[in-house]
Amino acid sequence: MDEELFEIVADSVTVEVTDKATGKVFRRELPIDYFENANFLRLSGENLDGSLSQLVFYTHRGIQRVKDITGKGPDHDRCGGHGHSHEHEE
């Protein structure tokens, strides 16, 4: 049975890099919390002093939603008037 996936959550990430000089591939498993949904990808971990540090990467959809909720989005209703009354011409 296919299940819709709305978010991806993990307690660690695996980073794979290819060294430019040698072409060798290196893989490292890192203790970084991973959270991804349609709006953003967030990586969380600890700094050297043990405090929380996060990197957040927004998707195009996520950026539009942030603009909408902060009042910096377009001055039109993307829902086509949903929730607004329309005056009818006679």
Side-chain angles (χ1 to χ4, degrees):
M1 170 166 62
D2 287 337
E3 208 176 294
E4 274 195 70
L5 187 62
F6 293 103
E7 60 186 35
I8 302 168
V9 180
D11 295 330
S12 65
V13 300
T14 303
V15 176
E16 182 176 290
V17 298
T18 304
D19 181 63
K20 284 184 177 183
T22 64
K24 289 185 179 182
V25 176
F26 297 90
R27 291 175 60 103
R28 303 285 185 263
E29 187 170 322
L30 304 172
I32 296 173
D33 293 330
Y34 182 97
F35 179 86
E36 179 181 356
N37 65 23
N39 298 314
F40 64 89
L41 180 152
R42 181 182 61 221
L43 303 174
S44 305
E46 290 185 0
N47 283 324
L48 289 175
D49 65 0
S51 64
L52 179 66
S53 182
Q54 296 184 358
L55 288 173
V56 177
F57 302 91
Y58 286 94
T59 63
H60 178 72
R61 175 183 168 178
I63 290 170
Q64 294 307 312
R65 292 188 129 189
V66 167
K67 286 180 180 179
D68 287 347
I69 63 173
T70 59
K72 296 184 173 110
D75 288 335
H76 69 280
D77 184 3
R78 290 186 300 174
C79 296
H82 178 73
H84 300 282
S85 61
H86 296 281
E87 294 182 25
H88 299 284
E89 292 183 29
E90 294 182 22

mmCIF file of all heavy atoms in Angstrom, residues 58-90:
data_model
loop_
_atom_site.group_PDB
_atom_site.id
_atom_site.type_symbol
_atom_site.label_atom_id
_atom_site.label_comp_id
_atom_site.label_asym_id
_atom_site.label_seq_id
_atom_site.Cartn_x
_atom_site.Cartn_y
_atom_site.Cartn_z
ATOM 1 N N TYR A 58 14.640 27.122 2.851
ATOM 2 C CA TYR A 58 13.244 27.214 2.432
ATOM 3 C C TYR A 58 13.074 26.794 0.979
ATOM 4 O O TYR A 58 13.899 27.125 0.132
ATOM 5 C CB TYR A 58 12.716 28.646 2.597
ATOM 6 C CG TYR A 58 12.478 29.014 4.034
ATOM 7 C CD1 TYR A 58 13.453 29.672 4.768
ATOM 8 C CD2 TYR A 58 11.291 28.694 4.664
ATOM 9 C CE1 TYR A 58 13.247 30.005 6.091
ATOM 10 C CE2 TYR A 58 11.070 29.027 5.988
ATOM 11 C CZ TYR A 58 12.051 29.685 6.696
ATOM 12 O OH TYR A 58 11.839 29.993 8.004
ATOM 13 N N THR A 59 11.977 26.108 0.701
ATOM 14 C CA THR A 59 11.597 25.815 -0.675
ATOM 15 C C THR A 59 10.922 27.066 -1.244
ATOM 16 O O THR A 59 10.608 28.007 -0.509
ATOM 17 C CB THR A 59 10.602 24.645 -0.736
ATOM 18 O OG1 THR A 59 9.393 25.031 -0.040
ATOM 19 C CG2 THR A 59 11.173 23.381 -0.121
ATOM 20 N N HIS A 60 10.670 27.075 -2.540
ATOM 21 C CA HIS A 60 9.949 28.201 -3.152
ATOM 22 C C HIS A 60 8.588 28.364 -2.479
ATOM 23 O O HIS A 60 8.185 29.475 -2.131
ATOM 24 C CB HIS A 60 9.787 27.987 -4.656
ATOM 25 C CG HIS A 60 9.020 29.079 -5.323
ATOM 26 N ND1 HIS A 60 9.545 30.332 -5.523
ATOM 27 C CD2 HIS A 60 7.753 29.117 -5.806
ATOM 28 C CE1 HIS A 60 8.633 31.099 -6.108
ATOM 29 N NE2 HIS A 60 7.544 30.380 -6.295
ATOM 30 N N ARG A 61 7.900 27.259 -2.259
ATOM 31 C CA ARG A 61 6.586 27.297 -1.594
ATOM 32 C C ARG A 61 6.716 27.868 -0.179
ATOM 33 O O ARG A 61 5.905 28.676 0.252
ATOM 34 C CB ARG A 61 6.002 25.886 -1.538
ATOM 35 C CG ARG A 61 4.718 25.790 -0.763
ATOM 36 C CD ARG A 61 4.235 24.369 -0.694
ATOM 37 N NE ARG A 61 3.176 24.273 0.289
ATOM 38 C CZ ARG A 61 2.530 23.182 0.559
ATOM 39 N NH1 ARG A 61 2.820 22.072 -0.077
ATOM 40 N NH2 ARG A 61 1.583 23.160 1.467
ATOM 41 N N GLY A 62 7.749 27.459 0.540
ATOM 42 C CA GLY A 62 7.964 27.951 1.893
ATOM 43 C C GLY A 62 8.219 29.444 1.936
ATOM 44 O O GLY A 62 7.713 30.150 2.811
ATOM 45 N N ILE A 63 8.999 29.948 0.991
ATOM 46 C CA ILE A 63 9.276 31.387 0.925
ATOM 47 C C ILE A 63 7.986 32.155 0.672
ATOM 48 O O ILE A 63 7.731 33.186 1.297
ATOM 49 C CB ILE A 63 10.326 31.698 -0.159
ATOM 50 C CG1 ILE A 63 11.681 31.166 0.279
ATOM 51 C CG2 ILE A 63 10.397 33.195 -0.456
ATOM 52 C CD1 ILE A 63 12.742 31.209 -0.795
ATOM 53 N N GLN A 64 7.146 31.663 -0.230
ATOM 54 C CA GLN A 64 5.880 32.332 -0.520
ATOM 55 C C GLN A 64 4.981 32.356 0.718
ATOM 56 O O GLN A 64 4.330 33.360 0.999
ATOM 57 C CB GLN A 64 5.159 31.649 -1.692
ATOM 58 C CG GLN A 64 5.887 31.767 -3.010
ATOM 59 C CD GLN A 64 6.244 33.202 -3.366
ATOM 60 O OE1 GLN A 64 5.424 34.090 -3.281
ATOM 61 N NE2 GLN A 64 7.491 33.410 -3.728
ATOM 62 N N ARG A 65 4.963 31.271 1.474
ATOM 63 C CA ARG A 65 4.133 31.208 2.685
ATOM 64 C C ARG A 65 4.641 32.175 3.749
ATOM 65 O O ARG A 65 3.862 32.820 4.427
ATOM 66 C CB ARG A 65 4.085 29.794 3.224
ATOM 67 C CG ARG A 65 3.329 28.879 2.279
ATOM 68 C CD ARG A 65 3.119 27.545 2.872
ATOM 69 N NE ARG A 65 1.692 27.287 2.717
ATOM 70 C CZ ARG A 65 1.062 26.299 3.257
ATOM 71 N NH1 ARG A 65 1.694 25.456 4.024
ATOM 72 N NH2 ARG A 65 -0.213 26.119 3.048
ATOM 73 N N VAL A 66 5.961 32.282 3.904
ATOM 74 C CA VAL A 66 6.522 33.233 4.869
ATOM 75 C C VAL A 66 6.144 34.657 4.461
ATOM 76 O O VAL A 66 5.745 35.468 5.296
ATOM 77 C CB VAL A 66 8.054 33.081 4.987
ATOM 78 C CG1 VAL A 66 8.669 34.251 5.742
ATOM 79 C CG2 VAL A 66 8.410 31.767 5.658
ATOM 80 N N LYS A 67 6.253 34.966 3.175
ATOM 81 C CA LYS A 67 5.866 36.291 2.695
ATOM 82 C C LYS A 67 4.393 36.560 2.980
ATOM 83 O O LYS A 67 4.022 37.654 3.396
ATOM 84 C CB LYS A 67 6.143 36.427 1.201
ATOM 85 C CG LYS A 67 7.600 36.574 0.863
ATOM 86 C CD LYS A 67 7.791 36.701 -0.640
ATOM 87 C CE LYS A 67 9.239 36.840 -1.028
ATOM 88 N NZ LYS A 67 9.387 36.926 -2.492
ATOM 89 N N ASP A 68 3.543 35.554 2.761
ATOM 90 C CA ASP A 68 2.104 35.719 2.990
ATOM 91 C C ASP A 68 1.794 36.014 4.457
ATOM 92 O O ASP A 68 1.033 36.926 4.771
ATOM 93 C CB ASP A 68 1.330 34.471 2.558
ATOM 94 C CG ASP A 68 1.249 34.321 1.049
ATOM 95 O OD1 ASP A 68 1.573 35.280 0.328
ATOM 96 O OD2 ASP A 68 0.856 33.228 0.598
ATOM 97 N N ILE A 69 2.399 35.256 5.370
ATOM 98 C CA ILE A 69 2.051 35.442 6.781
ATOM 99 C C ILE A 69 2.694 36.679 7.400
ATOM 100 O O ILE A 69 2.256 37.138 8.440
ATOM 101 C CB ILE A 69 2.361 34.194 7.636
ATOM 102 C CG1 ILE A 69 3.845 33.884 7.656
ATOM 103 C CG2 ILE A 69 1.568 33.008 7.181
ATOM 104 C CD1 ILE A 69 4.227 32.766 8.608
ATOM 105 N N THR A 70 3.713 37.237 6.744
ATOM 106 C CA THR A 70 4.337 38.457 7.248
ATOM 107 C C THR A 70 3.819 39.704 6.528
ATOM 108 O O THR A 70 4.306 40.802 6.779
ATOM 109 C CB THR A 70 5.876 38.395 7.121
ATOM 110 O OG1 THR A 70 6.231 38.213 5.751
ATOM 111 C CG2 THR A 70 6.455 37.281 7.970
ATOM 112 N N GLY A 71 2.856 39.535 5.630
ATOM 113 C CA GLY A 71 2.277 40.681 4.938
ATOM 114 C C GLY A 71 3.103 41.201 3.789
ATOM 115 O O GLY A 71 2.860 42.282 3.281
ATOM 116 N N LYS A 72 4.091 40.439 3.337
ATOM 117 C CA LYS A 72 4.956 40.897 2.249
ATOM 118 C C LYS A 72 4.645 40.191 0.933
ATOM 119 O O LYS A 72 5.380 40.320 -0.025
ATOM 120 C CB LYS A 72 6.419 40.698 2.629
ATOM 121 C CG LYS A 72 6.809 41.548 3.812
ATOM 122 C CD LYS A 72 8.259 41.433 4.142
ATOM 123 C CE LYS A 72 8.617 42.427 5.198
ATOM 124 N NZ LYS A 72 8.926 41.912 6.467
ATOM 125 N N GLY A 73 3.561 39.439 0.905
ATOM 126 C CA GLY A 73 3.174 38.718 -0.298
ATOM 127 C C GLY A 73 2.413 39.610 -1.253
ATOM 128 O O GLY A 73 2.227 40.806 -1.014
ATOM 129 N N PRO A 74 1.930 39.050 -2.362
ATOM 130 C CA PRO A 74 1.178 39.832 -3.345
ATOM 131 C C PRO A 74 -0.148 40.317 -2.762
ATOM 132 O O PRO A 74 -0.687 39.712 -1.841
ATOM 133 C CB PRO A 74 0.953 38.847 -4.493
ATOM 134 C CG PRO A 74 1.111 37.498 -3.891
ATOM 135 C CD PRO A 74 2.052 37.651 -2.743
ATOM 136 N N ASP A 75 -0.641 41.415 -3.280
ATOM 137 C CA ASP A 75 -1.901 41.984 -2.806
ATOM 138 C C ASP A 75 -3.094 41.411 -3.553
ATOM 139 O O ASP A 75 -3.979 42.132 -3.978
ATOM 140 C CB ASP A 75 -1.886 43.513 -2.958
ATOM 141 C CG ASP A 75 -0.974 44.164 -1.947
ATOM 142 O OD1 ASP A 75 -0.742 43.558 -0.884
ATOM 143 O OD2 ASP A 75 -0.495 45.271 -2.211
ATOM 144 N N HIS A 76 -3.092 40.087 -3.728
ATOM 145 C CA HIS A 76 -4.249 39.432 -4.311
ATOM 146 C C HIS A 76 -4.454 38.089 -3.611
ATOM 147 O O HIS A 76 -3.537 37.535 -3.026
ATOM 148 C CB HIS A 76 -4.108 39.258 -5.828
ATOM 149 C CG HIS A 76 -3.060 38.264 -6.221
ATOM 150 N ND1 HIS A 76 -1.721 38.569 -6.248
ATOM 151 C CD2 HIS A 76 -3.161 36.961 -6.595
ATOM 152 C CE1 HIS A 76 -1.035 37.502 -6.613
ATOM 153 N NE2 HIS A 76 -1.875 36.504 -6.824
ATOM 154 N N ASP A 77 -5.670 37.628 -3.669
ATOM 155 C CA ASP A 77 -6.037 36.384 -3.001
ATOM 156 C C ASP A 77 -5.765 35.216 -3.933
ATOM 157 O O ASP A 77 -6.382 35.085 -4.976
ATOM 158 C CB ASP A 77 -7.523 36.449 -2.627
ATOM 159 C CG ASP A 77 -7.977 35.249 -1.849
ATOM 160 O OD1 ASP A 77 -7.144 34.378 -1.549
ATOM 161 O OD2 ASP A 77 -9.172 35.191 -1.530
ATOM 162 N N ARG A 78 -4.811 34.346 -3.554
ATOM 163 C CA ARG A 78 -4.465 33.206 -4.400
ATOM 164 C C ARG A 78 -5.563 32.147 -4.411
ATOM 165 O O ARG A 78 -5.564 31.255 -5.233
ATOM 166 C CB ARG A 78 -3.156 32.588 -3.935
ATOM 167 C CG ARG A 78 -1.970 33.475 -4.209
ATOM 168 C CD ARG A 78 -0.705 32.794 -3.876
ATOM 169 N NE ARG A 78 -0.691 32.427 -2.468
ATOM 170 C CZ ARG A 78 0.257 31.708 -1.902
ATOM 171 N NH1 ARG A 78 1.257 31.284 -2.611
ATOM 172 N NH2 ARG A 78 0.221 31.431 -0.627
ATOM 173 N N CYS A 79 -6.518 32.256 -3.492
ATOM 174 C CA CYS A 79 -7.618 31.274 -3.420
ATOM 175 C C CYS A 79 -8.794 31.684 -4.291
ATOM 176 O O CYS A 79 -9.855 31.079 -4.221
ATOM 177 C CB CYS A 79 -8.080 31.103 -1.973
ATOM 178 S SG CYS A 79 -6.828 30.419 -0.896
ATOM 179 N N GLY A 80 -8.665 32.760 -5.043
ATOM 180 C CA GLY A 80 -9.739 33.177 -5.927
ATOM 181 C C GLY A 80 -10.942 33.733 -5.192
ATOM 182 O O GLY A 80 -12.083 33.511 -5.564
ATOM 183 N N GLY A 81 -10.686 34.449 -4.095
ATOM 184 C CA GLY A 81 -11.783 35.080 -3.373
ATOM 185 C C GLY A 81 -12.349 34.227 -2.263
ATOM 186 O O GLY A 81 -13.379 34.562 -1.684
ATOM 187 N N HIS A 82 -11.718 33.154 -1.937
ATOM 188 C CA HIS A 82 -12.179 32.274 -0.862
ATOM 189 C C HIS A 82 -12.296 33.071 0.434
ATOM 190 O O HIS A 82 -11.362 33.731 0.857
ATOM 191 C CB HIS A 82 -11.203 31.106 -0.670
ATOM 192 C CG HIS A 82 -11.585 30.205 0.443
ATOM 193 N ND1 HIS A 82 -12.640 29.342 0.339
ATOM 194 C CD2 HIS A 82 -11.058 30.026 1.674
ATOM 195 C CE1 HIS A 82 -12.739 28.673 1.475
ATOM 196 N NE2 HIS A 82 -11.780 29.073 2.298
ATOM 197 N N GLY A 83 -13.451 33.018 1.048
ATOM 198 C CA GLY A 83 -13.650 33.689 2.318
ATOM 199 C C GLY A 83 -14.020 35.149 2.195
ATOM 200 O O GLY A 83 -14.212 35.825 3.195
ATOM 201 N N HIS A 84 -14.139 35.684 0.992
ATOM 202 C CA HIS A 84 -14.517 37.070 0.782
ATOM 203 C C HIS A 84 -15.858 37.136 0.072
ATOM 204 O O HIS A 84 -16.149 36.341 -0.800
ATOM 205 C CB HIS A 84 -13.479 37.820 -0.072
ATOM 206 C CG HIS A 84 -12.121 37.846 0.559
ATOM 207 N ND1 HIS A 84 -11.806 38.699 1.589
ATOM 208 C CD2 HIS A 84 -11.013 37.123 0.322
ATOM 209 C CE1 HIS A 84 -10.558 38.496 1.942
ATOM 210 N NE2 HIS A 84 -10.046 37.537 1.178
ATOM 211 N N SER A 85 -16.670 38.117 0.446
ATOM 212 C CA SER A 85 -17.939 38.285 -0.271
ATOM 213 C C SER A 85 -17.670 39.127 -1.511
ATOM 214 O O SER A 85 -16.834 40.012 -1.510
ATOM 215 C CB SER A 85 -18.976 38.959 0.620
ATOM 216 O OG SER A 85 -18.521 40.245 0.996
ATOM 217 N N HIS A 86 -18.357 38.794 -2.574
ATOM 218 C CA HIS A 86 -18.186 39.512 -3.848
ATOM 219 C C HIS A 86 -19.482 40.270 -4.157
ATOM 220 O O HIS A 86 -20.572 39.745 -3.994
ATOM 221 C CB HIS A 86 -17.895 38.548 -4.997
ATOM 222 C CG HIS A 86 -16.605 37.818 -4.828
ATOM 223 N ND1 HIS A 86 -15.418 38.397 -5.118
ATOM 224 C CD2 HIS A 86 -16.324 36.573 -4.385
ATOM 225 C CE1 HIS A 86 -14.427 37.546 -4.867
ATOM 226 N NE2 HIS A 86 -14.974 36.422 -4.423
ATOM 227 N N GLU A 87 -19.328 41.503 -4.597
ATOM 228 C CA GLU A 87 -20.493 42.268 -5.027
ATOM 229 C C GLU A 87 -20.848 41.873 -6.446
ATOM 230 O O GLU A 87 -19.968 41.682 -7.276
ATOM 231 C CB GLU A 87 -20.183 43.771 -4.952
ATOM 232 C CG GLU A 87 -19.976 44.254 -3.525
ATOM 233 C CD GLU A 87 -19.723 45.744 -3.497
ATOM 234 O OE1 GLU A 87 -20.165 46.433 -4.430
ATOM 235 O OE2 GLU A 87 -19.093 46.197 -2.545
ATOM 236 N N HIS A 88 -22.119 41.711 -6.689
ATOM 237 C CA HIS A 88 -22.574 41.318 -8.021
ATOM 238 C C HIS A 88 -23.121 42.533 -8.752
ATOM 239 O O HIS A 88 -23.842 43.331 -8.188
ATOM 240 C CB HIS A 88 -23.673 40.251 -7.924
ATOM 241 C CG HIS A 88 -23.204 39.003 -7.249
ATOM 242 N ND1 HIS A 88 -22.397 38.088 -7.876
ATOM 243 C CD2 HIS A 88 -23.391 38.525 -5.985
ATOM 244 C CE1 HIS A 88 -22.136 37.098 -7.049
ATOM 245 N NE2 HIS A 88 -22.733 37.346 -5.890
ATOM 246 N N GLU A 89 -22.764 42.656 -10.012
ATOM 247 C CA GLU A 89 -23.292 43.753 -10.820
ATOM 248 C C GLU A 89 -24.646 43.356 -11.360
ATOM 249 O O GLU A 89 -24.889 42.209 -11.677
ATOM 250 C CB GLU A 89 -22.341 44.045 -11.979
ATOM 251 C CG GLU A 89 -21.034 44.629 -11.516
ATOM 252 C CD GLU A 89 -20.156 44.980 -12.708
ATOM 253 O OE1 GLU A 89 -20.706 45.291 -13.779
ATOM 254 O OE2 GLU A 89 -18.941 44.951 -12.544
ATOM 255 N N GLU A 90 -25.538 44.313 -11.450
ATOM 256 C CA GLU A 90 -26.874 44.053 -12.012
ATOM 257 C C GLU A 90 -27.021 44.640 -13.366
ATOM 258 O O GLU A 90 -26.507 45.582 -13.765
ATOM 259 C CB GLU A 90 -27.951 44.623 -11.082
ATOM 260 C CG GLU A 90 -27.960 43.884 -9.787
ATOM 261 C CD GLU A 90 -29.064 44.410 -8.872
ATOM 262 O OE1 GLU A 90 -30.038 45.008 -9.346
ATOM 263 O OE2 GLU A 90 -28.935 44.208 -7.677
#
